[in-house]
Amino acid sequence: MKTADIEPFFATLAAANPQPASELEYTTVFELLAAVLLSAQATDVGVNKATRRLFPVANTPQKILALGVEGLTEYIRTIGLYRMKAKHLVETCRILVEQHGGQVPRAREALQALPGVGRKTANVVLNVAFGEPTMAVDTHIFRVSNRTGLAPGKNVIDVELRLEERVPEPYRIEAHHWLILHGRYVCVARTPHCSACAVSRWCDYFRLGATPRA
């Protein structure tokens, strides 16, 4: 994708969805952190079904700790890797209570020190909860960034750093939402819906007829 094409690419996505948001359901920063932690290798729909049962009962680090691993497992067993996630979330809650006064830290290093919280999860929390212009690169963003030529890279870190370089400042806060939604519903993995794509005119894959690179 040419540099000159990036601004109209994002302007078009922004016009179609001026206020993009995460599809995970949450009402507090902790609920967001918990939901994102649970969403690894799971769908947002599946996570939302579980947290609709969990959060009315336990939506703070203290209440999750009170449930314990076994108690928490009963609420999230419909989510993939639920046993490991239950252990990670309970231990994360223990650290939040003991080291952060029960609050979710705003520093990347502190977030990534929490069990089950990797760079992508930290980036989501920093962006969605705290308004930081981070790029949470998941499989959708990785695919869209490579396929369109917006920010090609061999791994998620390469793509993240390239996005930070190429996304114009006015679009940085919402950029990862637009790219996730575009990859989830339009630029899908097997057969992208190019005929229904509002930004295909700036896409390398569409313009050049290339084979998808992700």
Side-chain angles (χ1 to χ4, degrees), residues 1 8 13 48 54 63 70 73 78 85 95 131 136 160 176 186 194-195 214:
M1 185 183 295
L13 293 177
N48 289 338
L54 172 64
K63 290 179 179 179
E70 291 304 316
T73 297
T78 55
K85 290 176 181 178
I95 293 172
E160 179 183 335
H176 97 269
V186 181
C194 297
S195 61

Side-chain angles (χ1 to χ4, degrees), residues 175-213:
H176 97 269
H177 286 305
W178 287 317
L179 295 174
I180 287 173
L181 294 171
H182 190 64
R184 185 172 290 165
Y185 298 112
V186 181
C187 195
V188 296
R190 292 191 176 183
T191 307
H193 305 310
C194 297
S195 61
C197 178
V199 293
S200 60
R201 75 192 76 178
W202 301 292
C203 170
D204 286 355
Y205 171 64
F206 180 75
R207 290 190 305 105
L208 303 177
T211 300
R213 289 171 285 179

Side-chain angles (χ1 to χ4, degrees), residues 29-165:
V29 178
F30 174 73
E31 286 185 1
L32 173 66
L33 173 64
V36 179
L37 189 156
L38 294 174
S39 71
Q41 300 184 47
T43 66
D44 288 358
V45 171
V47 172
N48 289 338
K49 287 181 180 178
T51 57
R52 284 172 196 158
R53 295 178 58 240
L54 172 64
F55 288 160
V57 175
N59 67 338
T60 67
Q62 295 85 349
K63 290 179 179 179
I64 294 288
L65 279 175
L67 278 181
V69 173
E70 291 304 316
L72 176 58
T73 297
E74 293 305 309
Y75 288 95
I76 67 170
R77 63 171 57 253
T78 55
I79 302 174
L81 307 176
Y82 67 92
R83 293 188 186 279
M84 179 185 69
K85 290 176 181 178
K87 292 178 181 179
H88 283 166
L89 183 52
V90 167
E91 185 57 28
T92 283
C93 290
R94 190 181 313 281
I95 293 172
L96 291 178
V97 170
E98 294 178 353
Q99 299 181 21
H100 302 285
Q103 301 299 307
V104 177
R106 187 166 182 166
R108 176 191 296 282
E109 295 78 11
L111 285 168
Q112 289 187 226
L114 299 171
V117 178
R119 187 177 182 90
K120 185 192 77 172
T121 298
N123 279 342
V124 172
V125 173
L126 289 170
N127 177 270
V128 177
F130 300 120
E132 301 287 344
T134 54
M135 302 292 169
V137 179
D138 67 352
T139 56
H140 298 299
I141 291 183
F142 186 79
R143 178 175 64 255
V144 171
S145 296
N146 276 283
R147 184 180 280 170
T148 63
L150 170 64
K154 294 181 179 180
N155 54 58
V156 294
I157 297 296
D158 287 346
V159 170
E160 179 183 335
L161 296 177
R162 190 70 171 133
L163 285 169
E164 290 177 352
E165 292 176 352

